[in-house]
Amino acid sequence: MVIKPLYDRVVIKVIQEEQRLKSGIIVPEISKKKATKGVVTAVGTGFYKANGEHENLKVNVGDKVLFNQWAANSNEIKENDSIFIIIKEEDILAIIEE
């Protein structure tokens, strides 16, 4: 499946970090904090400002990003063992440089 986001939207493959407690206690799915890290897999074409100028997005395909925890609530896509989200660029908090 190929997802091409529109305008200022970004497709992110969520990085799922395994949660293990040292004490051996199992954390139920409902209690787990949503992942906030991912890799950009597709970006939209940008958006138009109020003055009519076109603005390109700041993130690029391949960027590792931190995103707003609640941004992904309704736009989650599951394919195989991967989770993808579609969010607006403004919900991306930072680009991780390693």
Side-chain angles (χ1 to χ4, degrees), residues 64-77:
K64 194 173 189 181
V65 296
L66 295 174
F67 56 88
N68 186 330
Q69 178 179 357
W70 309 111
N73 282 347
S74 62
N75 300 317
E76 198 171 272
I77 302 159

Side-chain angles (χ1 to χ4, degrees), residues 14-81:
V14 176
I15 297 173
Q16 298 175 339
E17 296 177 353
E18 191 173 302
Q19 290 185 334
R20 292 184 185 195
L21 299 178
K22 290 180 182 178
S23 63
I25 296 173
I26 298 171
V27 179
E29 278 297 316
I30 198 155
S31 308
K32 291 182 182 177
K33 181 180 175 185
K34 282 206 172 255
T36 58
K37 235 186 255 187
V39 177
V40 176
T41 60
V43 296
T45 56
F47 60 95
Y48 288 93
K49 297 179 186 180
N51 65 3
E53 287 182 30
H54 184 265
E55 180 83 18
N56 290 323
L57 300 185
K58 307 287 187 269
V59 296
N60 298 303
V61 173
D63 284 348
K64 194 173 189 181
V65 296
L66 295 174
F67 56 88
N68 186 330
Q69 178 179 357
W70 309 111
N73 282 347
S74 62
N75 300 317
E76 198 171 272
I77 302 159
K78 294 180 182 179
E79 185 174 312
N80 300 328
D81 291 335

